[in-house]
Amino acid sequence: MASTALTTIRSNCRKVMCIGRNYADHVKELNNQRPKQPFFFLKPPSSILLPGEGPVLRPAGVNMHFEIELGLVIGKTVKDLQTEDDEEILQYIDSYLLAIDMTGRNVQEEAKKKGLPWSIAKGFDTFLPIAGPIAKEKVRDPHNVELFLKVNGETKQEDSTELMLFRIPRQLSDISKVMTLEKGDIVLTGTPKGVGAVKTGDVMECGLRIGGEEVEEARMRVE
Amino acid sequence: MASTALTTIRSNCRKVMCIGRNYADHVKELNNQRPKQPFFFLKPPSSILLPGEGPVLRPAGVNMHFEIELGLVIGKTVKDLQTEDDEEILQYIDSYLLAIDMTGRNVQEEAKKKGLPWSIAKGFDTFLPIAGPIAKEKVRDPHNVELFLKVNGETKQEDSTELMLFRIPRQLSDISKVMTLEKGDIVLTGTPKGVGAVKTGDVMECGLRIGGEEVEEARMRVE
Ligand SMILES: [Mg+2]
Ligand SMILES: [Mg+2]
Ligand SMILES: [Mg+2]
């Protein structure tokens, strides 16, 4: 069941900014170019799926991929932020989320080929399952947590956020020079290697470990 | 100055869905392909600029284009809508807006070339000036209103919404099969021909006419 806190997070969310290609091995597995600077795209708040709300829905004809990511809930306005400092950004973070950036991979590949927007590929209803929130105090260093995702019991993704190409200060700084991050906005920080397809009936389990210990609030199961 | 109604519209907005390439002559002027079905992309609510809030800000190095559009404010949930009926959609529309879908054209062209998302090109702060709202009752037929935009007194865009390639029922139907439209969401219905660049200091004036008469609430001036 979704916590009240998580329900509030969804109702307060006005944009979801996602960082693309932020782990080197994930960039390689999709045959993409390693970016010279962070790039990002929007998912709509309507795609958020809370625990207990049911399965991720695969749209007809869509090759649906999972991407496990560390999410940030923004706690106060971030605008034109100039920093590369890990400590300085903590004041802008309210809490953390575990999130799956579900992606219509064939829809995205088609869009990329045609130079079209990614909003459809990334924006279907139920394409953003989240768990948490994880209190800021629990996460001593957001660049040192382990994310994992299993499909039907088999581990598919399992990596540390220390592998991020662009760290969180750089992400928030770059986003905030384009668009103001408002209290309640969500930022997804990119996915490590191992993304893949799920079909109707598959069960995704995922979680987040800090210092080898699993954080209870950040466990999620999606059918 | 922004009306209370407009301030409320901004605070209730959780996504802005924009239709691309919805007027044949605009498709031609940008050397694009005429789409077989409506396609759409998100702008963030943080890009909304209300009357009296100041100029549209041109980010350094950005070739900033105007696109005048008719906007819809969604009045109730639209999900999996099946209709091509002009009357049926009226129940989902709360009111109308005049909107400028400001676009970083060079940023967008670069994104298109590289297969990257459009979110940056479309999402800068101040890139969505809006005016209104225009009461639903004032607009007998949203496919028969005239939009115009002038730069420094010179008319740049002036066309009727009857030229839309995909009419509003089809737009809402197609969007709602991908993502649920929620009360308060905004839909931009595409721009007619005549888009072009503005630079710092230029003054855009725009408005909306019904049966040849200008609708007062839908006049906007942006420096
Ligand atoms: Mg992702
Ligand atoms: Mg949005
Ligand atoms: Mg447009």
Side-chain angles (χ1 to χ4, degrees), chain A residues 14-16 42-45, chain B residues 14-16 42-45:
Chain A
R14 290 176 22 112
K15 66 171 166 285
V16 183
L42 292 160
K43 280 174 98 91
Chain B
R14 293 183 8 118
K15 66 172 166 287
V16 183
L42 292 161
K43 279 175 99 92

Side-chain angles (χ1 to χ4, degrees), chain B residues 19 41 67 69 101 122 191:
Chain B
I19 311 295
F41 56 87
E67 301 187 352
E69 312 208 3
D101 171 20
K122 292 286 188 176
T191 195

Side-chain angles (χ1 to χ4, degrees), chain A residues 11-174:
Chain A
S11 33
N12 289 343
C13 173
R14 290 176 22 112
K15 66 171 166 285
V16 183
M17 286 305 300
C18 311
I19 312 295
R21 304 181 194 163
N22 201 26
Y23 288 78
D25 287 340
H26 168 62
V27 175
K28 269 192 245 162
E29 74 185 350
L30 292 185
N31 296 313
N32 281 321
Q33 295 286 323
R34 189 165 163 156
K36 289 201 190 69
Q37 57 198 45
F39 80 85
F40 33 91
F41 55 87
L42 292 160
K43 280 174 98 91
S46 50
S47 62
I48 296 175
L49 182 74
L50 300 188
E53 285 187 342
V56 170
L57 300 171
R58 189 176 66 76
V62 168
N63 176 23
M64 189 173 71
H65 268 212
F66 51 80
E67 301 186 352
I68 189 76
E69 312 208 3
L70 177 67
L72 319 174
V73 181
I74 297 299
K76 71 176 194 193
T77 307
V78 196
K79 194 179 160 65
D80 293 323
L81 181 68
Q82 301 276 8
T83 188
E84 299 268 339
D85 186 90
D86 280 359
E87 288 298 316
E88 201 184 323
I89 50 140
L90 294 178
Q91 61 179 303
Y92 299 105
I93 297 173
D94 175 78
S95 52
Y96 297 92
L97 298 172
L98 183 69
I100 315 180
D101 172 19
M102 298 301 302
T103 304
R105 193 68 72 199
N106 56 335
V107 181
Q108 185 196 31
E109 290 304 329
E110 179 93 356
K112 283 160 65 176
K113 227 179 291 169
K114 295 187 174 165
L116 291 175
W118 294 17
S119 302
I120 297 177
K122 293 287 189 177
F124 288 98
D125 286 354
T126 78
F127 266 38
L128 180 48
I130 59 173
I134 309 147
K136 189 157 74 168
E137 298 68 35
K138 274 209 172 170
V139 183
R140 239 163 328 170
D141 178 5
H143 303 99
N144 190 18
V145 308
E146 197 178 44
L147 305 170
F148 69 87
L149 183 144
K150 300 175 188 190
V151 178
N152 304 327
E154 194 186 322
T155 300
K156 299 290 187 180
Q157 296 189 276
E158 187 168 38
D159 263 319
S160 169
T161 54
E162 73 186 349
L163 296 173
M164 284 182 190
L165 295 174
F166 299 104
R167 291 164 74 89
I168 296 168
R170 178 67 191 277
Q171 296 179 30
L172 297 189
S173 175
D174 275 36

Side-chain angles (χ1 to χ4, degrees), chain B residues 9 12 23 30 39-40 43-44 53 65 72 83 88 101 107 126 142 148 162 168 170 179 183 185 208-209 211 217 222:
Chain B
I9 284 169
N12 289 343
Y23 288 77
L30 292 184
F39 82 84
F40 33 90
K43 279 175 99 92
E53 285 186 344
H65 268 212
L72 319 173
T83 189
E88 201 184 324
D101 171 20
V107 182
T126 78
F148 68 87
E162 73 186 351
I168 296 168
R170 178 67 190 280
M179 56 185 92
K183 185 175 157 61
D185 286 350
L208 185 156
R209 296 186 198 103
E217 307 88 293
V222 196

